[in-house]
Amino acid sequence: MLIFGAVTIYVLIELKRMLYERYSYRGLDVIIALAIAWTVLNYGGSFALQSFFTIVGSTTSVSAEVVTTVFWVICIGVFGIIDTILGIMLLMQGRRFGVPLLAFAAFSLATGLCEVTVILSFFGLLLFPVAYIALGVAFLRPEKRLEFV
């Protein structure tokens, strides 16, 4: 899971860079920074909690399950809020971006709404890879530049 968190952080940094270099858009800098910070807190905190409860032992197994479950529910809810804001802000600036980035925005919004409810977060797990595939297409799409001869 720590590797997945590192890859997610890398993708978010590249998204921030792409938005600035290709579209001269800095409107998501704060949201992306929050997403990176929350990713570090989620994966680092999950690792720390699991390590702590593994070292302490099985005498507190019920409380360990409750604490980690509450932590994950809070993390899923906050990720949902961040994804929803990310999707809304990208869709509001839709004229600037191409179709793959707008598809990412729509799937990010849908994923965020599923994650916010926590109960529907399973559907968010299904939409999350689709959103990142759309983002991958946006990354791989060649940049359109004006060429002066």
Side-chain angles (χ1 to χ4, degrees), residues 80 82-84 86-87 90 103-113 131:
I82 291 171
D83 285 343
T84 302
L86 181 87
L90 283 174
F104 167 72
F107 283 117
S108 179
L109 178 63
T111 301
L113 291 174

Side-chain angles (χ1 to χ4, degrees), residues 10 69 118 142:
Y10 175 75
T69 302
V118 178

Side-chain angles (χ1 to χ4, degrees), residues 7 31 38 48 57 60 64 73 78-79 83 96 105 108 129 145 149:
V7 169
I31 299 301
W38 198 255
T60 60
V73 166
V78 173
F79 274 127
D83 285 343
R96 288 180 173 225
S108 179
R145 295 184 182 199
V149 180

Side-chain angles (χ1 to χ4, degrees), residues 12-70:
L12 288 170
I13 290 170
E14 289 300 311
L15 173 63
K16 181 179 174 181
R17 186 182 62 77
M18 181 185 73
L19 287 173
Y20 179 67
E21 288 179 359
R22 288 190 189 177
Y23 304 105
S24 297
Y25 183 66
R26 288 197 169 265
L28 289 176
D29 286 355
V30 173
I31 299 301
I32 291 174
L34 284 172
I36 290 170
W38 198 255
T39 300
V40 169
L41 180 74
N42 177 34
Y43 290 107
S46 296
F47 179 73
L49 280 174
Q50 291 297 325
S51 298
F52 173 75
F53 288 123
T54 300
I55 292 170
V56 169
S58 63
T59 58
T60 60
S61 63
V62 174
S63 63
E65 291 176 11
V66 170
V67 168
T68 54
T69 302
V70 169

